[in-house]
Amino acid sequence: TMSLREHALSLFRSAVGTVRPAPMLKRALKLQGEGCPQLLVNNRAFPLKRNLYLVGFGKAVLGMAAAAEEILGDRLVRGIISVPLGIQESLQQAGMQEMLLKPHSRIQVFEGARNNLPDSEALKGANAIRELAEGLTADDLLLVLISGGGSALLPAPIPPILLEEKEQLTKMLASRGAAIQELNTIRKMLSLLKGGGLARLTYPAQVVSLILSDVIGDPLDIIASGPTAASSHSIQDCLQILTKYNLLHSLPRSVETVLSSSPTKPTAAEHYSHVCNVVIGSNTLALAEAKHQAEGLGYATLMLSAAVCGDVGCVAELYCQLIRLLCLHLAGLVEGAQGTEVRGNLLQLAAELDIPGLNMAEFLRAVQGLEPLKPVCILAGGETTVQLQGTGKGGRNQELALRVGLGLHRVQGVEASSLGRCDVIFLSGGTDGQDGPTEAAGAFCSPELVAEALQEGLDAEAFLSNNDSYAFFSHFQRGRHLLVTGLTGTNVMDVQVILIRAT
């Protein structure tokens, strides 16, 4: 029989597999007809009157472009994509040929955005995309491929803002704990192509965007900062964010100039009637595939949410309490005093975190309805935030796993715990195969992890206070608690898997 760890790994891989570029594009995009050909996007037809062009930007776009070119063949006149620095070489080394363009491809590749920050190379790619878009006519069709990481790969600041000034502002916001939505709201306001800018430049050509979402709730105007979507944000939103993080009075003069002349209202929707935006891959799709697989492995499977967000410590506590509840359920003790306490904790944590679409009372009813003794799988996805305090190495997934491990250790220490009657594994991983500046995608933990570490003289709390989860997990033989997948060529945020069975 496979171990819980192997099951968790296999569920994570199946979630990632379903949102890889080739399967996603083949589901969404077809070319039909000889005489008057048309592009079918999720069964909606777009006639090809004259020329078909392609542009793209994002971490997963190289594989998306390779799959698109295979589908479009000679119909594609020309393409330009902006992708992360070194990705072609990395995919080549990983033997992922299917994600690479063919030798005589009609698509030109720009690599840039070292460390996911906009740079001069990404700016070259953005300028080339802009020139192509501006030259299109009403009879042309532009296929736009968008994935997470597209923001950094499509930098074209509104003059007189310099790229360095925009980057500095983004860094300051990030270091003060700004969420991705807030960062993108600011970026859009200072950009020529984001916030619908690319779509406006492309008018009157037909624009069809195929989008791989790496943002909670899949908001079109936030993913890669929404280059083909009407922005729902105004200058007021920008000023609010800058005020919140105490940056309003330390802006470069160029940024002040652009903000003072920005339109006060978002662009009207009718300016986007030539655009069709389609989300072809998301965290929700990935989790649905993992659920299907988990049920096949014999688990009673519950979906918590595809929009888990908030402070990593708070989210870790939510998972610890969930694991406690499920262990009580499997031990037949869920109706006792401990069960009542844990349910109260969960309702309070859910209220504090305010996760979109999560109805904790409903979820608790679903737990009550689970078959006794049947192993349980809980699936979730999203993106937590980490306030950096230390100088260690790690990422939000490894930090989340270590915090869950520490929380479970503490629970075991204070109560005659039902945890002892269950096998538990918790996995958190980034679907792009990267978690922070490490080669790991995330990590596994179990209730025994922290006790085992203490025997080896490792203090989990000390590692956490230095944001050094990677170093903690690396201490164990062959990094057996690290989740290492290599680059996946896709990105739909993070996936969490909890597996529990009675011993």
Side-chain angles (χ1 to χ4, degrees):
T1 59
M2 287 167 86
S3 68
L4 285 189
R5 186 185 183 284
E6 287 166 326
H7 276 175
L9 180 59
S10 127
L11 295 177
F12 179 79
R13 287 190 193 280
S14 71
V16 172
T18 200
V19 289
R20 279 182 186 268
M24 267 189 331
L25 267 124
K26 283 173 185 155
R27 285 195 297 264
L29 185 67
K30 291 181 178 56
L31 189 62
Q32 199 181 54
E34 289 300 312
C36 20
Q38 46 187 10
L39 206 57
L40 287 183
V41 179
N42 282 1
N43 296 323
R44 186 176 158 188
F46 296 92
L48 292 178
K49 296 176 202 160
R50 204 174 81 154
N51 291 330
L52 172 60
Y53 295 91
L54 178 151
V55 298
F57 29 88
K59 291 180 183 177
V61 157
L62 189 63
M64 289 168 81
E69 190 165 30
E70 203 166 296
I71 295 163
L72 303 172
D74 292 343
R75 283 275 158 210
L76 180 65
V77 176
R78 181 173 169 232
I80 299 173
I81 58 173
S82 176
V83 296
L85 187 69
I87 192 164
Q88 293 178 99
E89 195 184 335
S90 301
L91 292 173
Q92 185 91 49
Q93 285 173 349
M96 294 165 80
Q97 298 308 117
E98 75 283 2
M99 300 243 185
L100 296 167
L101 295 169
K102 300 284 184 286
H104 302 293
S105 169
R106 297 178 181 195
I107 299 172
Q108 183 184 2
V109 181
F110 286 86
E111 288 195 358
R114 181 191 294 275
N115 300 328
N116 203 23
L117 292 168
D119 56 20
S120 58
E121 293 309 305
L123 185 57
K124 280 181 201 164
N127 286 336
I129 286 171
R130 187 178 119 207
E131 279 169 34
L132 187 150
E134 284 174 336
L136 300 181
T137 71
D139 289 337
D140 295 322
L141 189 147
L142 181 66
L143 187 64
V144 184
L145 306 176
I146 301 176
S147 79
S151 256
L153 288 158
L154 199 69
I158 297 171
I161 300 173
L162 299 173
L163 192 59
E164 297 71 44
E165 294 174 319
K166 191 172 160 190
E167 191 179 331
Q168 199 51 48
L169 180 57
T170 308
K171 269 185 182 163
M172 288 198 304
L173 280 162
S175 70
R176 295 183 187 198
I180 183 73
Q181 284 82 345
E182 294 175 316
L183 290 174
N184 282 356
T185 302
I186 300 289
R187 281 172 176 157
K188 282 191 304 186
M189 215 30 111
L190 308 179
S191 170
L192 283 170
L193 298 175
K194 300 186 177 108
L198 178 62
R200 293 194 298 276
L201 288 178
T202 308
Y203 185 83
Q206 172 71 56
V207 178
V208 179
S209 289
L210 303 182
I211 301 165
L212 177 61
S213 169
D214 70 330
V215 183
I216 282 168
D218 310 333
L220 296 174
D221 65 321
I222 296 285
I223 303 160
S225 302
T228 59
S231 174
S232 57
H233 297 104
S234 67
I235 185 72
Q236 261 24 71
D237 299 309
C238 271
L239 299 176
Q240 251 171 337
I241 293 164
L242 293 167
T243 306
K244 176 180 170 183
Y245 295 104
N246 206 11
L247 288 169
L248 198 54
H249 301 296
S250 49
L251 296 174
R253 180 161 298 165
S254 60
V255 173
E256 284 181 357
T257 305
V258 167
L259 288 178
S260 65
S261 60
S262 295
T264 50
K265 288 192 175 67
T267 314
E270 59 265 21
H271 290 272
Y272 298 91
S273 56
H274 63 301
V275 182
C276 171
N277 288 311
V278 185
V279 175
I280 61 169
S282 65
N283 196 279
T284 306
L285 269 166
L287 291 177
E289 178 60 25
K291 181 174 194 282
H292 175 69
Q293 298 292 335
E295 287 166 347
L297 290 169
Y299 288 91
T301 307
L302 294 178
M303 198 84 86
L304 183 70
S305 167
V308 172
C309 54
D311 175 70
V312 68
C314 236
V315 173
E317 184 55 28
L318 181 81
Y319 285 137
C320 286
Q321 296 297 330
L322 266 180
I323 291 166
R324 275 182 77 190
L325 184 77
L326 290 160
C327 288
L328 288 167
H329 166 80
L330 285 171
L333 300 170
V334 78
E335 295 311 319
Q338 275 188 33
T340 306
E341 179 208 335
V342 174
R343 280 194 294 271
N345 293 345
L346 281 166
L347 288 165
Q348 190 181 340
L349 281 162
E352 280 171 30
L353 281 163
D354 194 22
I355 291 164
L358 172 60
N359 180 334
M360 186 52 82
E362 204 173 283
F363 186 83
L364 293 175
R365 280 196 291 279
V367 171
Q368 274 177 314
L370 292 172
E371 282 177 54
L373 298 179
K374 189 173 182 179
V376 180
C377 168
I378 304 286
L379 294 168
E383 196 163 285
T384 58
T385 36
V386 176
Q387 289 276 4
L388 288 178
Q389 285 150 341
T391 54
K393 202 173 174 189
R396 59 179 182 261
N397 289 286
Q398 293 163 80
E399 177 141 341
L400 179 59
L402 183 49
R403 284 182 182 277
V404 169
L406 184 60
L408 295 175
H409 174 73
R410 286 177 179 149
V411 170
Q412 276 183 318
V414 298
E415 63 183 41
S417 172
S418 53
L419 282 176
R421 306 183 197 188
C422 290
D423 282 336
V424 177
I425 197 92
F426 173 85
L427 173 158
S428 186
T431 54
D432 59 356
Q434 292 174 297
D435 186 41
T438 73
E439 90 280 9
F444 300 85
C445 82
S446 63
E448 300 74 40
L449 173 73
V450 171
E452 192 186 327
L454 285 169
Q455 286 175 341
E456 296 189 26
L458 303 175
D459 176 1
E461 287 184 57
F463 282 93
L464 279 171
S465 63
N466 192 30
N467 297 114
D468 206 11
S469 50
Y470 176 75
F472 174 90
F473 287 118
S474 300
H475 274 285
F476 295 90
Q477 66 188 41
R478 298 191 314 282
R480 70 177 188 273
H481 295 293
L482 284 170
L483 170 66
V484 181
T485 62
L487 281 179
T488 62
T490 190
N491 179 21
V492 292
M493 300 184 290
D494 305 331
V495 165
Q496 280 97 41
V497 180
I498 300 171
L499 298 180
I500 303 176
R501 64 182 172 207
T503 48

